[in-house]
């Protein structure tokens, strides 16, 4: 089980993590939470009805990581000439974003919080580390969070396609991006094995 998720009888998944791995995943999830930001009403009393009708932003985020996490629904590739059709797609994207981004952020926030809570609830074993056991629902939240973490790291590393990923394996050890690359590849392995536990 070390380093990869395995299915549990009756549903869910388990993985053995050492103390360093637990610390890395928790730290990355906290950073993701900080990046996504607090939800509406975080500074004041919650009004569920007001939050239900609260409109989100209509412009894409400036931060490239957030742009990757919350892409435009309808968009032309960058550098496309500004035609009437492109302007129309931009307007559709703005409208879609206004009514969906708050919910998307809330979902990503909940997934990251689920990761932090499950790691905080771990009981260490004698030799260090712990075995993380997830229910089927928790597995899906972890899957969402792992995907978001990889998108965020991939954006910082400028990874846009499979070719870029292949180059990562050939980075020299002295490259300052190496630790981030190792985290990206390791999270990819965790994500892949977690997906396989959810398949029938």
């Amino acid at each position: 089980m070390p380093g990869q998720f395995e299915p549990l009888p009756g549903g869910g998944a388990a993985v053995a993590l050492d103390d360093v791995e637990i610390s890395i995943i928790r730290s990355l999830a906290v950073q993701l939470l900080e990046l996504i930001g607090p939800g509406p009403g975080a500074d004041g009393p919650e009004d569920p009805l007001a939050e239900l009708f609260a409109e989100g932003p209509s412009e894409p985020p400036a931060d490239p990581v957030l742009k990757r996490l919350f892409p435009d629904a309808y968009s032309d590739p960058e550098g496309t000439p500004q035609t009437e059709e492109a302007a129309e797609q931009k307007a559709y994207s703005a409208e879609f974003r206004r009514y969906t981004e708050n919910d998307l952020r809330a979902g990503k926030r909940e997934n990251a919080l689920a990761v932090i809570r499950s790691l905080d609830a771990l009981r260490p074993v004698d030799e260090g580390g712990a075995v993380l056991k997830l229910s089927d629902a928790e597995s899906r939240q972890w899957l969402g969070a792992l995907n978001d973490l990889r998108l965020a790291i991939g954006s910082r590393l400028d990874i846009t396609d499979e070719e870029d990923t292949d180059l990562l394996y050939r980075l020299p050890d002295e490259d300052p991006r190496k630790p981030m690359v190792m985290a990206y590849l390791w999270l990819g392995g965790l994500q892949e094995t977690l997906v396989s536990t959810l398949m029938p």
Side-chain angles (χ1 to χ4, degrees):
M1 192 188 312
Q4 61 180 28
F5 279 98
E6 292 183 5
L8 288 172
V15 64
L17 298 169
D18 65 32
D19 293 336
V20 173
E21 292 168 333
I22 292 167
S23 174
I24 289 170
I25 296 172
R26 192 184 188 288
S27 172
L28 290 171
V30 167
Q31 289 175 56
L32 182 63
L33 270 178
E34 290 169 356
L35 186 65
I36 293 169
D43 298 327
E46 285 186 30
D47 179 354
L49 195 58
E51 284 185 26
L52 184 64
F53 294 104
E55 290 185 7
S58 58
E59 291 296 317
D63 185 301
V65 173
L66 288 174
K67 214 179 243 186
R68 180 83 65 94
L69 290 172
F70 305 103
D72 276 336
Y74 312 94
S75 64
D76 287 328
E78 286 187 30
T80 303
Q82 286 304 307
T83 61
E84 189 177 322
E85 185 183 348
E88 202 173 78
Q89 286 194 337
K90 187 174 180 183
Y92 289 151
S93 284
E95 193 72 3
F96 187 81
R97 184 179 295 281
R98 183 177 300 125
Y99 294 109
T100 61
E101 187 167 311
N102 284 345
D103 286 343
L104 289 172
R105 281 182 185 260
K108 291 179 184 302
R109 200 177 295 115
E110 272 308 306
N111 290 343
L113 280 169
V115 167
I116 293 166
R117 287 181 189 128
S118 58
L119 292 175
D120 288 349
L122 285 176
R123 301 271 182 267
V125 291
D126 293 339
E127 60 272 10
V131 175
L132 174 70
K133 293 182 180 178
L134 302 174
S135 68
D136 196 53
E138 289 169 331
S139 293
R140 292 179 193 286
Q141 287 185 299
W142 263 75
L143 193 56
L146 288 172
N147 186 60
D148 289 341
L149 288 172
R150 292 191 78 239
L151 282 173
I153 294 170
S155 180
R156 292 286 188 236
L157 291 170
D158 243 352
I159 297 169
T160 55
D161 56 34
E162 201 59 42
E163 247 178 61
D164 294 335
T165 306
D166 293 341
L167 294 173
L168 297 180
Y169 288 100
R170 296 192 292 277
L171 272 184
D173 289 343
E174 58 274 10
D175 191 301
R177 297 170 297 169
K178 190 74 173 192
M180 208 185 304
V181 166
M182 297 304 291
Y184 177 82
L185 297 172
W186 171 59
L187 292 173
L190 282 178
Q191 184 181 15
E192 193 176 316
T193 59
L194 185 53
V195 167
S196 69
T197 70
L198 293 168
M199 290 183 170

